[in-house]
C-alpha cells in the first residue's frame, strides 16, 4: 500500500472508492451530482490517496486554510490504520496546526480523532442536513 498525492488521473478510482463509502456509511449523506467536484472543493490545496494494486483505498484533502476534508477509507480496507497514515501524510506536509469538522453522526470518526489526540474546540449547526433531515451538528477539532 502506498500513500501519494492525488492526481487528475485518479478521478475514476477516487469516485469508485467514495461510492463504496457512501453505500456503507452515507458519507456524504446524499450522493453528489458531481462526485469529483465534491472531492475537489474550490479551496482544496492538496489531496492524498492510499493506493494498493491500482485501487484507491482511502482519501484525504487539505484546504488552503489547513482544514482536513473528505477523509475516508473504503469499508474493505478499514482496520489497517489507513486513516492515521493519511493524516500523517498531511501533517508531514504542513507545518502548524490543522483543523477539521465531523458530523455528530460520525461516531467512529469522532472516536478515531479523539483517540488520536485531536481536541474538540466547539460545535455548530451545518447548512446541510443529516440523515434525519435536520441541520447536521458539526464538531470542530484541532490537532494536538
Amino acid at each position: 500500500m502506498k500513500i501519494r498525492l492525488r492526481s487528475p488521473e485518479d478521478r475514476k478510482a477516487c469516485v469508485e472508492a467514495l461510492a463504496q463509502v457512501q453505500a456503507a456509511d452515507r458519507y456524504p449523506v446524499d450522493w453528489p451530482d458531481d462526485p469529483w467536484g465534491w472531492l475537489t472543493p474550490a479551496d482544496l490545496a492538496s489531496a492524498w490517496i492510499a493506493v494498493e494494486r491500482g485501487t484507491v483505498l482511502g482519501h484525504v484533502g487539505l484546504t488552503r486554510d489547513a482544514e482536513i476534508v473528505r477523509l475516508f477509507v473504503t469499508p474493505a480496507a478499514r482496520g489497517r490504520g489507513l486513516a492515521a497514515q493519511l493524516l500523517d501524510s498531511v501533517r508531514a506536509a504542513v507545518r502548524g496546526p490543522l483543523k477539521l469538522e465531523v458530523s455528530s453522526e460520525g461516531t467512529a470518526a469522532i472516536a478515531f480523532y479523539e483517540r488520536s489526540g485531536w481536541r474538540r474546540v466547539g460545535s455548530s449547526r451545518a447548512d446541510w442536513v443529516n440523515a434525519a433531515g435536520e441541520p447536521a451538528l458539526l464538531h470542530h477539532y484541532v490537532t494536538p
Side-chain angles (χ1 to χ4, degrees):
M1 197 274 309
K2 177 181 178 181
I3 294 180
R4 63 170 172 80
L5 285 170
R6 187 186 82 184
S7 72
E9 292 77 29
D10 298 313
R11 178 183 191 138
K12 182 180 178 195
C14 287
V15 170
E16 288 171 358
L18 181 63
Q20 294 172 33
V21 171
Q22 205 273 339
D25 305 326
R26 289 206 60 200
Y27 176 78
V29 172
D30 295 309
W31 185 251
D33 292 334
D34 176 10
W36 181 251
W38 187 85
L39 286 169
T40 312
D43 60 346
L44 188 73
S46 296
W48 291 260
I49 55 174
V51 182
E52 188 172 71
R53 294 186 302 274
T55 300
V56 171
L57 304 178
H59 180 280
V60 65
L62 177 70
T63 67
R64 286 189 266 292
D65 65 346
E67 182 173 359
I68 299 289
V69 295
R70 312 308 194 243
L71 173 60
F72 61 84
V73 173
T74 60
R78 293 179 185 162
R80 297 172 51 184
L82 295 183
Q85 291 176 52
L86 286 161
L87 287 174
D88 287 347
S89 294
V90 176
R91 291 181 82 172
V94 175
R95 292 209 163 85
L98 297 170
K99 59 187 175 180
L100 61 82
E101 296 176 343
V102 61
S103 169
S104 63
E105 293 178 307
T107 55
I110 290 168
F112 165 72
Y113 295 130
E114 291 181 357
R115 266 193 327 271
S116 301
W118 288 73
R119 186 171 46 92
R120 187 183 304 183
V121 294
S123 300
S124 65
R125 289 287 174 183
D127 60 0
W128 51 272
V129 296
N130 62 18
E134 304 168 337
L137 176 61
L138 298 177
H139 300 304
H140 307 274
Y141 285 84
V142 295
T143 50

